[in-house]
Amino acid sequence: MINFDFAKKEMISNQLRKRGIADKRVLKAFQDVPRHLFVPEDNIEHSYDDSALPIGFNQTVSQPYITALMTQILRPLEDDIILEIGTGSGFQTALLSKLCKYVISLERIPELVSFSRDNLKKLSIGNVQIFVADGTLGWKSEAPYDGIIVSAGAKEIPQSLMNQLKPGGRLIIPLEHEGYHKLFRIKKEETGFIKEEILDCMFVPLIGRGYDE
Ligand code: SAM
């Protein structure tokens, strides 16, 4: 029998705190959202490993550290409305739901929308809506957003996502670079966009029509 509580504590201490995840709200969200509720049964014993894990359809739930880092640099506030692109298992969605007012999450694979909705139900999370949609086009009806987080690697920044950010808003996005990805934070200021490179990483691809818009 696996002691998931112990494994979660170890994960938070060794993979997150020791690597510089210091935001108390983010660490608390990781405490409150058990990752094993978002991992398919055949890999459940690896739920707190330092790695991405398969969730079917050639997709993954991202490595805990990368998920934490992306959440920390997004800096979600209690009253924020956040758009997430690439729901996957719903793990990151659940973390965001603990940190902001409302989350809209978009996923292109219908089976993963069902999977993530079922996973979120286990925690009775109510401030989230998940849609089957091409996230490269964003989600106009609730725009503009305080933050947008993309958890798949993009060829370039989709214009719709830039348009749908509030002034002061943050966009977190991995961008293709010589066969891997670089994670960026882009801030929308009154005077324009400020682009900050964060680190090298590897994601599944962001597939969609929004690059040509
Ligand atoms: N954050 C997720 C989690 O916690 O499980 C992991 C996301 S996984 C690395 C990336 C997801 O992006 C995949 O589920 C994939 O189907 C989805 N995706 C790729 N292109 C997309 C698009 N244009 N719109 C919406 N989802 C997309």
Side-chain angles (χ1 to χ4, degrees), residues 55 59-62 67 84-93 106-109 112 133-136 151-152 203-208:
I55 54 171
Q59 305 303 325
T60 55
V61 49
S62 305
T67 307
E84 179 192 35
I85 315 291
T87 321
S89 68
F91 179 57
Q92 172 112 59
T93 324
L106 309 179
E107 169 57 56
R108 58 182 284 273
I109 300 174
L112 289 179
D134 176 357
T136 60
S151 52
F203 275 86
V204 295
L206 182 73
I207 298 164

Side-chain angles (χ1 to χ4, degrees), residues 103-137:
V103 186
I104 305 260
S105 186
L106 309 179
E107 169 57 56
R108 58 182 284 273
I109 300 174
E111 290 85 348
L112 289 179
V113 170
S114 307
F115 178 59
S116 57
R117 281 183 182 150
D118 289 348
N119 291 338
L120 288 162
K121 266 188 211 146
K122 297 175 200 167
L123 292 171
S124 306
I125 288 172
N127 59 338
V128 166
Q129 264 194 295
I130 304 174
F131 299 102
V132 181
D134 176 357
T136 60
L137 302 171

